[in-house]
Amino acid sequence: MEDNLWHDIIDRDIKIDVSILPKSVQEEIKELERLHEEKDWFNYDFKFDELEMNAKRYVIRGTMSDSLYKKLLEKYGGLYD
């Protein structure tokens, strides 16, 4: 059962053009994808928090839209604030 829950962490139905994102966000997404593939939920959780904080900084600076930020959080964590 735990395996089935793991596969639901990343919402593959949500499409994001990663190439338009800042390099640091792209790198965090790559790392999340790797951790997801390795089923390393512990480190995935930490990396997701980093993605959330880093992406929020871009929103605050006005270089990322709030809607894209929420889409990222929904895709990789299932949550948004």
Side-chain angles (χ1 to χ4, degrees):
M1 183 162 138
E2 187 172 315
D3 258 2
N4 290 339
L5 291 176
W6 178 255
H7 294 291
D8 293 336
I9 289 178
I10 296 177
D11 187 339
R12 301 286 179 199
D13 292 332
I14 298 173
K15 305 298 182 206
I16 297 172
D17 181 1
V18 176
S19 68
I20 66 167
L21 299 172
K23 278 286 191 214
S24 61
V25 174
Q26 290 180 29
E27 290 168 9
E28 287 168 337
I29 288 172
K30 276 187 198 174
E31 184 67 9
L32 284 170
E33 294 283 352
R34 183 188 68 77
L35 293 167
H36 183 269
E37 187 175 309
E38 294 176 3
K39 298 181 181 178
D40 184 350
W41 64 266
F42 184 77
N43 287 307
Y44 185 99
D45 194 39
F46 284 117
K47 183 54 69 175
F48 176 76
D49 288 345
E50 289 178 28
L51 172 68
E52 183 179 16
M53 289 182 290
N54 190 24
K56 189 63 171 184
R57 280 195 302 261
Y58 287 104
V59 172
I60 291 168
R61 292 179 191 155
T63 56
M64 180 185 291
S65 70
D66 194 53
S67 63
L68 179 54
Y69 167 75
K70 289 178 180 179
K71 196 173 181 182
L72 280 170
L73 297 189
E74 188 174 358
K75 178 175 181 77
Y76 290 99
L79 304 170
Y80 56 90
D81 57 10

